[in-house]
Amino acid sequence: MCAPLSVLRAVIADQQGFLFKDELTFGPGTDEDTILMLLTARSNDQRQQIKAAYKKAYGKDLVSALKSELGGLFESLIVALMTPPVSYDASKLHKALKGAGTDDEVLIEILASRTGEQIKDIIKVYKKEFGGKLEKDICGDTSGHYQKLLVILLQGNREEGVDEEKTEKDAKDLYAAGEGKFGTDEEKFITILGNRSAEHLRKVFDAYKKLSGSDIEDSIEGETTGNLENLLVAVVKCARSVPQFFAEGLYKSMRRAGTDDDTLMRIMVSRSEVDMLDIRASFKKMYGVSLYSTIQVTQSSSVFCLFHFDKC
């Protein structure tokens, strides 16, 4: 069971920032429920205050202290919660590029869904924390049209607003580049989907369906393959609705042979202060069940409590 709110109040100091009681981390055994409830009841900014206040009070790094007491999935969750959002994204990209093989699913998820400003911040933090250039590392691990679209997304410079004069033309150009010809003009898909605003693309998708009788996703899936196909489809889905994109990601993470804990945790942590309520609503609309109940039957209470502790 999760710790009651009265316990949370008991371990929050009156001064600026929030302090763990010393015995919470270093006593006999670790009160994991209380740690989780304390951290998920605070914003990430407040967690950074907790970390700073703890070090000032005890001369110890809180994350290191927690890691020494915890383990497994719960430790990974707590470390993720204690990491600033931009640093978290940067670390996931670094791991995706520098681990054993390239984790294209992570590259696609982050670069397709983040705003231009978020991507620019990630690039800065990536260089500061890992000493390399994100674009260079991506180019070293990818190739072809897939690489080109990733690099375009890395620029974080999508056009703004809707250009009504271009919507019909873009739809016709996409049709001509795919369904309307023998072979596929990948460059046209990359240029339009990688540079137009989400608002503009939604109008293009509507015009495309009127023109071809099918959704743009169907054309992409029929005309491209592999990582390029996955990235193009992700860009389209994010342009339509970022919450729906992540609702689908959560659903798939819990419907594979064994729960994909990495994906589940990455989405829950990274979206918890962005659009989780919208993701919850999208999940229920798309799959007819609540995200809460789906996580409940597939996960331990530690991860389950991350998703909205008012029900724990």
Side-chain angles (χ1 to χ4, degrees):
M1 292 179 59
C2 293
L5 291 177
S6 59
V7 173
L8 295 182
R9 295 190 187 100
V11 297
I12 296 174
D14 291 331
Q15 67 193 77
Q16 184 180 10
F18 310 94
L19 291 176
F20 282 118
K21 283 186 175 179
D22 200 36
E23 65 267 25
L24 183 64
T25 301
F26 299 108
T30 302
D31 188 342
E32 293 185 351
D33 285 341
T34 305
I35 293 173
L36 186 77
M37 285 298 291
L38 175 62
L39 295 183
T40 56
R42 306 299 173 205
S43 69
N44 193 276
D45 283 344
Q46 289 173 324
R47 290 177 209 135
Q48 303 316 309
Q49 293 179 47
I50 293 172
K51 186 161 61 175
Y54 187 93
K55 190 166 189 177
K56 182 178 180 181
Y58 304 115
K60 303 171 184 176
D61 178 69
L62 178 55
V63 175
S64 297
L66 288 169
K67 289 174 70 173
S68 71
E69 292 285 326
L70 307 174
L73 184 62
F74 187 76
E75 176 189 331
S76 298
L77 170 60
I78 295 304
V79 172
L81 288 171
M82 294 301 298
T83 305
V86 177
S87 294
Y88 185 68
D89 279 349
S91 69
K92 289 301 172 184
L93 288 170
H94 184 260
K95 183 179 179 181
L97 293 164
K98 298 301 182 181
T102 304
D103 191 339
D104 293 289
E105 183 176 332
V106 172
L107 296 184
I108 290 169
E109 176 191 302
I110 293 177
L111 295 183
S113 65
R114 301 315 191 248
T115 67
E117 288 305 310
Q118 287 172 332
I119 289 174
K120 290 175 182 177
D121 288 341
I122 290 169
I123 291 171
K124 292 176 184 176
V125 171
Y126 188 96
K127 184 179 178 72
K128 180 180 179 181
E129 295 190 359
F130 303 109
K133 293 183 178 180
L134 180 55
E135 182 175 328
K136 181 179 179 181
D137 288 348
I138 285 177
C139 288
D141 268 33
T142 61
S143 61
H145 292 103
Y146 172 57
Q147 178 192 96
K148 183 170 184 178
L149 181 51
L150 286 172
V151 171
I152 289 174
L153 296 175
L154 268 177
Q155 308 314 303
N157 286 323
R158 284 191 177 276
E159 299 167 5
E160 296 182 359
V162 178
D163 187 337
E164 298 290 352
E165 295 181 359
K166 280 186 179 180
T167 54
E168 292 289 338
K169 182 179 184 304
D170 283 346
K172 291 177 180 178
D173 285 348
L174 287 171
Y175 180 78
E179 293 183 76
K181 67 174 291 185
F182 179 76
T184 306
D185 182 355
E186 292 91 347
E187 293 283 347
K188 187 63 67 175
F189 278 89
I190 289 169
T191 298
I192 293 174
L193 296 180
N195 289 292
R196 305 290 191 262
S197 71
E199 298 87 348
H200 179 92
L201 287 175
R202 287 193 289 272
K203 289 186 175 292
V204 172
F205 301 155
D206 290 341
Y208 186 93
K209 187 161 188 176
K210 289 180 182 179
L211 176 67
S212 70
S214 59
D215 289 325
I216 186 66
E217 293 95 327
D218 296 330
S219 175
I220 292 170
E221 291 168 356
E223 298 291 332
T224 61
T225 59
N227 288 327
L228 176 61
E229 174 191 339
N230 294 335
L231 179 56
L232 287 168
V233 169
V235 169
V236 169
K237 289 180 176 179
C238 287
R240 290 191 187 278
S241 170
V242 172
Q244 287 182 18
F245 172 74
F246 281 112
E248 181 181 359
L250 288 168
Y251 182 81
K252 288 181 177 179
S253 77
M254 293 180 280
R255 284 296 176 265
R256 295 169 179 164
T259 302
D260 181 349
D261 292 320
D262 287 342
T263 297
L264 176 60
M265 188 182 305
R266 187 175 63 249
I267 296 175
M268 294 297 292
V269 170
S270 65
R271 308 312 292 185
S272 62
E273 295 181 37
V274 181
D275 52 5
M276 185 52 66
L277 292 178
D278 294 329
I279 292 171
R280 286 174 59 182
S282 293
F283 193 97
K284 181 69 177 288
K285 182 177 180 180
M286 293 165 69
Y287 303 111
V289 293
S290 72
L291 177 57
Y292 175 89
S293 62
T294 305
I295 294 176
Q296 186 178 24
V297 299
T298 58
Q299 284 298 305
S300 68
S301 60
S302 295
V303 175
F304 160 57
C305 286
L306 172 62
F307 170 61
H308 276 302
F309 13 92
D310 58 328
K311 292 188 178 182
C312 291

